[in-house]
């Protein structure tokens, strides 16, 4: 993990513990802003002195000293003091999606709740609905969030798992004995959350030395099992990693088998049985004489079964085998298909980088266009105004010339509780692209939330619905709405749904992407970037799209600029509805 990420976690925990203990809200916001700032800062914090730390937006001298303390000692004394003051059970409540430090403090002070069992008992007795700011819907949503958290268990976000796995793969690939290595399991299938990390390596000579190296790597906290061909460890961050070493001759069969899913593998083995064959992690064999037909290459396994190679992101037994047999697999969107990012923030609102830096970063990605979509004024803490938006717009032609990339002017609008949007229709009509998102009142009923989203979709100037379910992985559950009604309206009005690639969101998820696609919806895969480094997150959004069977032509930001402009302008020719 980068030093920036470690520091950001510590600062966010400071903010949470101060909030949960009823501390100064100003200090809470200060540490929250600093956490976001250091997480998105492009330079490694370990390379910065005190002045370099203070130069980071939202990091003052006081916070810089804490970061230096963390670097020197491995901990922050103020955080340790808060750990001692706040009951462990109460700290555990912070991990419940939808509760948050303020509400955790409220239930602790007013009801004496400081553990999950106490919270579950209070929910059962319907005690929370009587607290100020709560109600039956809030209580029901919290119960739903707890159920979802228990179902997910100890799974980690895709981006966290991928970062760990790619680091391990790079280190193990450097060993001379290792001829091939990759991650497998749900990570190779790019699920949005991952349990354990599965690694697969090919080594014909001295596989035991590969295992010895793996079990003694610096990030290993403890070894669960150490064998000649399979070992399991737990990293210093509490993540279990399993490594298998196989001969190079069976690499393809092993990679196919250990990638899964279990349901996909059952369907593949059924095809093999019907053809008089046997498939295992060692290869594809004829049953009658035991002859090996394929094992070294994964694509050969599928070909021998009469199938094209099926991308790992589709291997969930959701119709991919039938589609492959009928030669109907989708031509999945790839990262290289993305022509621009249509959801980017700058330091004009809550971004960490300036306008020029964000545009330059988009140009370095090879994009042909990008959209700057800072927040609109309904989010009062962003202090956006019409004059600020127009001043930003005046800078875009020069940036287009300087960086050789077309810069579209947009805004991320807020969908109010009643479906209203920021700014009047005349001003909205002057933007190139408008993203509309829910940022508040998450506890509305299913009917109210559906009506709210439909109002935004029906608005003639809204082009994209941002992070449609508003979920934050492990922290906030999705809002409840009639997805089919929303998807039908989006398809009918030619409003794109965003696949938000930010690792905390991955919203909408792959199941809903597939469902929306069946309604004829088109998508925008965006990073929701608030810093230069966030543009790299596009890979996660593409993975979600692939798992939802999305082809490149179904993603509006793969289109040439001329076609995209026609899509964005099409509904602006309609008279405003309000």
């Amino acid at each position: 993990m980068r030093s920036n990420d470690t520091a950001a976690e510590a600062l966010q925990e400071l903010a949470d513990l101060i909030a949960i203990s009823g501390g100064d809200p100003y200090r809470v916001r200060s540490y929250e802003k600093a956490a976001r700032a250091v997480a998105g800062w492009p330079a490694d914090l370990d390379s910065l002195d005190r002045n370099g730390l203070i130069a980071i937006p939202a990091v003052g001298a006081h916070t810089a000293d804490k970061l230096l303390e963390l670097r020197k000692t491995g901990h922050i004394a103020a955080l340790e003091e808060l750990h001692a003051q706040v009951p462990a059970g109460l700290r555990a409540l912070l991990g419940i999606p939808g509760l948050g430090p303020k509400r955790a403090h409220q239930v602790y002070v007013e009801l004496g709740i400081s553990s999950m069992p106490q919270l579950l008992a209070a929910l059962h007795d319907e005690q929370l609905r009587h607290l100020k700011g709560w109600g039956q819907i809030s209580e029901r949503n919290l119960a739903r969030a707890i159920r979802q958290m228990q179902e997910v268990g100890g799974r980690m976000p895709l981006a966290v798992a991928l970062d760990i796995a790619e680091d391990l793969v790079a280190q193990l690939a450097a060993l001379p004995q290792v001829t091939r290595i990759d991650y497998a399991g749900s990570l190779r299938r790019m699920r949005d959350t991952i349990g354990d990390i599965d690694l697969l390596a090919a080594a014909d000579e001295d596989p035991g030395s590969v295992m010895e190296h793996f079990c003694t790597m610096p990030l290993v906290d403890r070894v669960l099992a150490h064998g000649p061909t399979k070992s399991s460890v737990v990293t210093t961050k509490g993540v279990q990693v399993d490594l298998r070493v196989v001969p190079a001759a069976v690499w393809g069969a092993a990679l196919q088998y250990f990638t899964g899913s279990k349901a996909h593998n059952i369907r593949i083995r059924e095809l093999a049985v019907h053809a008089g064959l046997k498939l295992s992690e060692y290869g594809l064999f004829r049953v009658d004489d035991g002859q090996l037909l394929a094992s070294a290459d994964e694509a050969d396994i599928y070909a021998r079964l009469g199938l094209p190679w099926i991308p790992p992101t589709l291997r969930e037994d959701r119709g991919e085998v039938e589609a492959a047999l009928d030669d109907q697999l989708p031509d999945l969107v790839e990262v290289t298909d993305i022509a621009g990012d249509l959801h980017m923030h700058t330091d004009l609102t809550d971004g960490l980088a300036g306008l020029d830096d964000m545009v330059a970063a988009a140009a370095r990605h090879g994009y042909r266009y990008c959209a700057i979509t800072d927040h609109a004024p309904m989010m009062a803490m962003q202090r956006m105004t019409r004059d600020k938006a127009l001043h930003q717009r005046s800078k875009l032609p020069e940036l287009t010339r300087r960086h050789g990339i077309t810069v579209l002017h947009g805004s991320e609008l807020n969908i109010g509780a009643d479906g209203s949007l920021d700014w009047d229709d005349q001003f909205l009509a002057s933007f190139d692209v408008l993203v509309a998102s829910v940022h508040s009142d998450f506890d509305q009923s299913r009917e109210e939330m559906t009506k709210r989203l439909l109002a935004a979709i029906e608005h003639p100037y809204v082009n994209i619905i941002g992070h449609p379910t508003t979920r934050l992985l492990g922290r906030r559950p999705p809002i409840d709405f009639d997805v089919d009604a929303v998807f039908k309206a989006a398809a009918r009005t030619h409003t794109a749904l965003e696949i938000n690639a930010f690792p905390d969101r991955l919203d909408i998820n792959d199941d809903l992407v597939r469902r929306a696609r069946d309604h004829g919806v088109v998508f925008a895969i965006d990073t929701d970037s608030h810093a230069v480094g966030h543009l790299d997150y596009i890979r996660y959004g593409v993975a979600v799209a692939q798992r939802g069977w999305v082809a490149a032509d179904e993603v509006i930001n793969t289109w040439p600029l001329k076609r995209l402009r026609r899509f964005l302008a099409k509904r602006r020719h309609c008279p405003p509805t309000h």
Side-chain angles (χ1 to χ4, degrees):
M1 179 181 288
R2 292 192 317 151
S3 61
N4 301 48
D5 299 324
T6 301
E9 285 184 1
L11 293 175
Q12 184 60 54
E13 189 175 10
L14 264 173
D16 289 342
L17 292 183
I18 292 170
I20 203 172
S21 59
D24 183 1
Y26 174 80
R27 291 180 64 209
V28 173
R29 290 193 297 272
S30 179
Y31 283 126
E32 286 176 340
K33 290 180 180 178
R36 291 195 298 270
V38 299
W41 196 246
D44 192 318
L45 259 62
D46 283 347
S47 67
L48 303 178
D49 60 13
R50 188 172 187 269
N51 289 333
L53 293 172
I54 293 174
I56 301 173
V59 175
H62 185 71
T63 302
D65 289 337
K66 283 184 167 45
L67 294 175
L68 291 172
E69 179 188 1
L70 178 64
R71 182 192 304 175
K72 182 178 180 180
T73 67
H75 68 274
I76 298 175
L79 184 55
E80 297 298 317
E81 292 173 7
L82 284 167
H83 280 159
Q85 294 171 11
V86 179
L90 182 56
R91 294 201 304 271
L93 298 184
L94 289 172
I96 300 174
L99 188 62
K102 291 183 180 179
R103 280 190 163 180
H105 174 73
Q106 182 186 23
V107 300
Y108 174 58
V109 170
E110 298 188 29
L111 297 177
I113 294 172
S114 61
S115 69
M116 176 67 85
Q118 290 174 334
L119 181 63
L120 290 173
L123 284 168
H124 181 268
D125 295 338
E126 299 181 347
Q127 296 180 35
L128 300 183
R129 66 180 60 186
H130 304 298
L131 299 177
K132 183 179 179 180
W134 290 71
Q136 293 185 33
I137 293 176
S138 299
E139 194 175 60
R140 185 178 68 236
N141 287 345
L142 179 60
R144 180 163 59 97
I146 292 174
R147 286 196 302 272
Q148 291 174 339
M149 182 185 71
Q150 291 171 334
E151 290 169 1
V152 169
R155 298 178 70 84
M156 73 195 99
L158 168 64
V160 173
L162 196 57
D163 185 54
I164 296 170
E166 290 184 334
D167 181 38
L168 288 169
V169 164
Q171 293 185 55
L172 293 171
L175 299 177
Q177 309 95 305
V178 175
T179 56
R180 302 188 74 169
I181 185 166
D182 204 347
Y183 42 83
S186 58
L187 182 56
R188 188 168 181 239
R189 302 198 311 276
M190 300 292 276
R191 288 192 59 183
D192 52 11
T193 60
I194 310 297
D196 301 336
I197 295 174
D198 298 306
L199 302 180
L200 184 69
D204 291 326
E205 298 181 5
D206 198 11
S209 67
V210 178
M211 286 300 179
E212 182 65 27
H213 181 86
F214 172 66
C215 291
T216 56
M217 296 175 77
L219 57 71
V220 173
D221 180 60
R222 65 184 189 276
V223 178
L224 300 178
H226 186 169
T229 60
K230 179 185 176 182
S231 294
S232 297
V233 303
V234 176
T235 72
T236 53
K237 292 297 181 182
V239 177
Q240 181 173 331
V241 183
D242 301 331
L243 172 65
R244 292 178 175 85
V245 178
V246 300
V250 303
W251 169 260
L255 184 61
Q256 193 282 326
Y257 180 84
F258 290 115
T259 295
S261 64
K262 181 179 179 180
H264 173 84
N265 284 352
I266 289 172
R267 292 284 290 111
I268 295 297
R269 288 200 296 272
E270 287 174 351
L271 289 181
V273 169
H274 291 153
L277 306 174
K278 178 184 178 181
L279 178 62
S280 71
E281 63 265 43
Y282 303 106
L284 183 65
F285 302 87
R286 275 209 296 252
V287 172
D288 54 3
D289 59 8
Q291 181 181 349
L292 175 65
L293 301 179
S295 62
D297 185 81
E298 192 180 52
D300 287 346
I301 302 288
Y302 285 98
R304 286 283 187 168
L305 293 170
L307 298 169
W309 180 77
I310 298 177
T313 47
L314 296 184
R315 300 182 195 175
E316 299 289 354
D317 191 29
R318 296 189 292 195
E320 73 276 5
V321 174
E322 292 79 3
L325 288 169
D326 293 336
D327 196 26
Q328 294 295 318
L329 284 177
D331 185 13
L332 297 177
V333 61
E334 302 282 352
V335 170
T336 52
D337 294 320
I338 303 299
D341 197 322
L342 300 179
H343 190 168
M344 297 166 56
H345 296 271
T346 76
D347 59 4
L348 183 61
T349 54
D350 62 345
L352 300 175
L355 177 61
D356 184 81
D357 289 337
M358 292 300 290
V359 173
R364 287 195 299 272
H365 273 255
Y367 291 154
R368 285 171 277 170
Y369 49 79
C370 67
I372 301 299
T373 54
D374 276 308
H375 288 289
M378 200 183 291
M379 291 186 72
M381 75 287 292
Q382 307 303 342
R383 300 179 180 176
M384 175 59 94
T385 66
R386 185 183 300 248
D387 288 342
K388 286 182 179 180
L390 291 175
H391 181 63
Q392 182 183 71
R393 184 179 301 170
S394 70
K395 298 178 180 180
L396 302 190
E398 169 58 25
L399 292 177
T400 292
R401 289 190 294 270
R402 185 188 313 162
H403 297 292
I405 177 175
T406 299
V407 186
L408 304 175
H409 195 222
S411 179
E412 185 179 12
L413 307 174
N414 306 283
I415 307 174
D418 59 355
S420 61
L421 302 175
D422 314 72
W423 288 315
D424 58 79
D425 288 334
Q426 183 178 1
F427 193 52
L428 292 179
S430 69
F431 286 90
D432 296 312
V433 54
L434 291 171
V435 181
S437 310
V438 170
H439 290 112
S440 64
D441 299 285
F442 304 116
D443 291 342
Q444 285 185 312
S445 69
R446 176 183 176 88
E447 294 73 20
E448 291 172 323
M449 193 64 75
T450 301
K451 183 178 179 181
R452 180 179 180 182
L453 287 169
L454 290 176
I457 288 171
E458 294 286 353
H459 194 287
Y461 299 153
V462 170
N463 305 116
I464 301 166
I465 299 298
H467 43 77
T469 75
T470 80
R471 75 168 183 176
L472 293 174
L473 285 169
R475 287 158 45 205
R476 185 168 70 212
I479 55 177
D480 187 20
F481 60 92
D482 185 336
V483 294
D484 290 307
V486 166
F487 294 166
K488 287 177 183 177
R492 175 175 50 79
T493 60
H494 304 288
T495 304
L497 295 183
E498 182 178 70
I499 300 175
N500 189 296
F502 206 87
D504 292 350
R505 292 187 182 275
L506 301 186
D507 181 14
I508 47 178
N509 68 28
D510 57 308
D511 289 329
L512 291 180
V513 168
R514 182 84 181 272
R515 196 159 162 182
R517 184 174 179 265
D518 290 342
H519 284 290
V521 169
V522 292
F523 304 93
I525 305 176
D526 301 319
T527 60
D528 196 356
S529 288
H530 286 66
V532 167
H534 295 169
L535 286 166
D536 293 332
Y537 294 158
I538 194 70
R539 64 189 299 201
Y540 307 123
V542 169
V544 173
Q546 289 181 345
R547 288 180 56 81
W549 292 51
V550 174
D553 196 56
E554 296 170 299
V555 179
I556 65 171
N557 50 318
T558 67
W559 298 347
L561 180 60
K562 188 175 181 180
R563 181 183 177 189
L564 176 65
R565 283 193 182 278
R566 287 199 303 269
F567 175 85
L568 297 176
K570 185 173 183 181
R571 297 182 67 213
R572 283 175 165 72
H573 298 311
C574 305
T577 56
H578 52 284

